[in-house]
Each structure stands twice: as C-alpha cells, then as structure tokens.
Amino acid sequence: MNEAYILAARPGLGESGLGYTKAMIAHASRLLPLGACLLAVALLAACTPTRPSAPEAPAVVAKPMPPPKPRIGLALGGGAAKGFAHIGVIKMLEANGFEPVVVSGTSAGSVVGALYASGMDPFRLQSQAVALDQAEIRDISLFSGGLIKGQKLQDYVNAGVGGKPLERMRKPLAVVATQLETGKRTVFTRGNTGQAVRASSSIPGVFEPVPIGKFTYVDGGVVSPVPVDAARGLGADLVIAVDISTKATGAKPDGMLGIVNQSIAIMGQRLGEQELARADVIIRPRVGDIGPADFEQRQRAILEGEKAALAALPQIRAKVAQWQQARMAERQRAVKPAPEPVCEASKLERALGRSPNCKGD
C-alpha cells in the first residue's frame, strides 16, 4: 500500500476525514483512468462545507392610502314642535357612522342644534326632550310685540349648553335669524348662544323680536327655512338637510300659531326650495300633521325622524362614496410623474459620432 495512504489512515496523526479523502484521490489518480478521477473530484466537492445562503429580504408593499372622510354638515330646519324629529335623525346618523361635524339651525332646528353642538349625545337629547315642560320655555308677555317674550327660551338653551358661547361649541354651530329692519339673513357663529337661538325662533307676531346690537331679529325661517348654505359656510363637504317645514296642503291651519307658522312657511317656500337644492341629501320626516304647539307628539316626531334617516342611508352612502372617489382622483392627478433621465453624449462620443452611453440602455 502507498505510504501517503498509510499516513492518512493513521489515527494518531490527527488528520481529518477530508485529508484522508485527498490522499485516496492522489493514490487513485495514478491507478485509475481520467473518468474515475473526475468522479473522485466530485466526491471531494461534496465533502466541502458550504455556507447557507442569506434569506432574501421580504418585498416591501406600500399600503394604499385610506379614502378621505368628508366633513358632514347637518342643516336643521324650522317647524316648532315638529323639531323633535331632528333628534331621531341625529340618532340614526350617529348609529350608522355618519356623525355630523358641523351644525346649522333655524328656529326649532337651532334649539336642537345648539344642544347637540354643545356636546349632548342623541340619547341625552331625547331624555331632555321627553322631560321638557312647555312652562320652561314659555313666558307670556302681552302688548310688547309678541305673545311670548322668549327670555325663558334663551335661559333654557344657555343652561343646556353650560353657558358656552357659540364660538366655544364642541361642534361648529351656525344659528340663522332674519334682520327685521332689512330682511337680510344673518348667521350667528359668535356670541350668546341662547340669545341667538331666541332670535332665530322668534316667530313674528308670536314671539317678541330680539334686539342684538344695532338691529332687531325675528325667525330665521322667513329667509332660510333649512340653513343649507350656513352649514356649507362652516366648511361642510356634504350637507344633509332636514326639512320639517309646513307645506300648504289646501287645508286651513288651526289656531293663530298655526296660521302664522304656515304664513311664514309660504313666504319662505320659494327661497327654501332654492337653498334645499344645494343640499347633498334631504331628509323629510313625515310630521306634517303635527301642530306647531303639539308637544304631546314629541315621541312620535322623534320616531318619524329615525324612520326618515334610515330610509336616506343608501343615498348618504352613495354620496359619501362619490365624494371619496372624486377626492382620490384629485390625489392621483396631483402626483407628478418622475422626470425622464437626461442622457447626453460625451465629447469623445460626439467626436466619434457615437450615441450616448446611458445607464439602462
């Protein structure tokens, strides 16, 4: 046997198994043909330890941007005792994920709107409505420009909002009234909340006109029965209008308050229709047969508000989706494409008449 083979096989020499394999190949190379030698080399390669390959880094997938959320504005119209329906509408909107972020109100809508904008949740609003006694908001005052003074209503609202002025509401709030001297629409967003609501609710001939500053104000329903534009002015992307106004049906209204209420509705009907057309969604609770002073029907009015809001949910969802698609399209148009790389020939390339050698060509 060859000496190299014998030495490699001796355990006392401390040679590894790899050294033993090399000795075998050296010995066999003199004895075996070329094909067998190649086989031996392959065996040696199999015995050589290899390092494990590093795992590939996972691909980073960019998360798509979530669709933007529209600022929903709620425009609450006037309608005296019918205004309890606004509470039912608010309940259903919040329960289905469409919480308004800005609120505007006219007359009865300004009362509910102020309490809601101050931070009252819909269920507390309902509890407050159920517990309301007409004596808390009605103060008779003869021979002073109206049967009701309105101071009690002002105090009631200010107590409900914790004395906070309009500019400190949790939700931006706009209260609409009519300037008696000029007939102009006035939108209150600052100042005494109860006083603004009192002005917005001062039905001519029923409530005393309310002096604020240099002017006197009466019911906002004369010029803006459902204050859609006021909600839009607060920054609303989508406006949900709640129309509870009295419509002329051919029947004679009952009592003086009913006559006055319907007269105001007729005067503001044309203007109201034009403004309502600028709303994204209109909710009309079926409260036409509830009288302006029919507080006993408050629970039914709230229920009708809930029903009307539920019926409007598909339209609201469609409007929100349409708005989101439009905003996403605007985002995509705003993303500028990467500029094309500038590739210029070097002096040598120009001298030789060659095309520029750019990376990626």
Side-chain angles (χ1 to χ4, degrees):
M1 184 176 293
N2 188 282
E3 186 177 356
Y5 178 85
I6 295 171
L7 290 174
R10 292 178 183 175
L13 295 178
E15 294 288 346
S16 65
L18 182 59
Y20 172 69
T21 306
K22 291 179 179 179
M24 287 182 64
I25 294 171
H27 178 67
S29 65
R30 293 190 293 271
L31 301 176
L32 300 175
L34 180 60
C37 290
L38 292 175
L39 179 62
V41 172
L43 177 62
L44 177 61
C47 295
T48 304
T50 58
R51 295 181 180 179
S53 60
E56 295 183 2
V60 178
V61 179
K63 293 183 179 179
M65 293 183 66
K69 290 185 177 180
R71 287 171 56 84
I72 295 177
L74 186 62
L76 303 176
K82 299 178 180 67
F84 290 110
H86 292 317
I87 298 172
V89 171
I90 294 171
K91 283 176 64 178
M92 290 301 103
L93 290 179
E94 285 205 359
N96 288 275
F98 298 110
E99 180 178 349
V101 297
V102 300
V103 184
S104 64
T106 289
S107 197
S110 71
V111 179
V112 176
L115 297 176
Y116 178 54
S118 72
M120 277 193 192
D121 62 65
F123 294 97
R124 189 178 167 196
L125 278 174
Q126 183 168 353
S127 299
Q128 190 109 342
V130 171
L132 176 63
D133 184 350
Q134 290 189 58
E136 295 181 68
I137 59 173
R138 181 179 296 173
D139 43 2
I140 304 299
S141 177
L142 300 177
F143 312 112
S144 59
L147 297 177
I148 300 174
K149 187 175 182 180
Q151 184 63 48
K152 278 192 172 183
L153 175 62
Q154 177 175 327
D155 295 341
Y156 173 83
V157 172
N158 278 333
V161 302
K164 289 182 288 189
L166 290 166
E167 64 270 20
R168 291 183 56 198
M169 295 288 117
R170 290 191 181 180
K171 298 177 187 290
L173 172 66
V175 175
V176 178
T178 304
Q179 197 177 99
L180 187 59
E181 290 83 356
T182 64
K184 292 181 179 179
R185 183 190 71 143
T186 300
V187 180
F188 292 101
T189 57
R190 300 182 63 83
N192 187 310
T193 303
Q195 188 180 44
V197 170
R198 175 185 173 188
S200 179
S201 305
S202 292
I203 302 172
V206 179
F207 281 80
E208 289 183 8
V210 180
I212 301 176
K214 298 179 180 179
F215 299 98
T216 309
Y217 297 91
V218 293
D219 196 297
V222 175
V223 292
S224 183
V226 186
V228 174
D229 294 340
R232 195 80 70 183
L234 292 175
D237 297 312
L238 298 177
V239 176
I240 299 173
V242 186
D243 180 17
I244 55 170
S245 60
T246 300
K247 302 294 187 296
T249 60
K252 182 180 178 181
D254 295 328
M256 188 191 72
L257 184 57
I259 294 171
V260 172
N261 192 55
Q262 182 154 318
S263 299
I264 293 173
I266 292 170
M267 287 188 293
Q269 190 167 352
R270 184 61 59 85
L271 288 174
E273 289 174 355
Q274 294 173 358
E275 190 168 4
L276 273 174
R278 295 189 284 272
D280 297 284
V281 178
I282 303 172
I283 298 176
R284 288 189 170 98
R286 301 180 66 177
V287 291
D289 60 337
I290 295 178
D294 198 356
F295 279 54
E296 289 74 20
Q297 296 282 349
R298 68 191 82 183
Q299 289 281 28
R300 184 189 147 215
I302 294 172
L303 181 60
E304 291 296 337
E306 294 176 7
K307 290 179 180 178
L310 283 173
L313 287 177
Q315 186 183 4
I316 295 172
R317 292 190 180 100
K319 288 290 184 179
V320 169
Q322 182 181 350
W323 183 90
Q324 289 176 329
Q325 290 173 0
R327 298 294 83 75
M328 294 296 286
E330 288 179 2
R331 282 183 180 179
Q332 293 175 355
R333 288 193 296 269
V335 176
K336 297 181 179 179
E340 292 288 337
V342 178
C343 185
E344 296 180 353
S346 64
K347 291 182 179 180
L348 178 60
E349 288 172 333
R350 286 197 296 269
L352 298 175
R354 292 178 180 175
S355 300
N357 182 19
C358 298
K359 292 182 179 180
D361 287 353

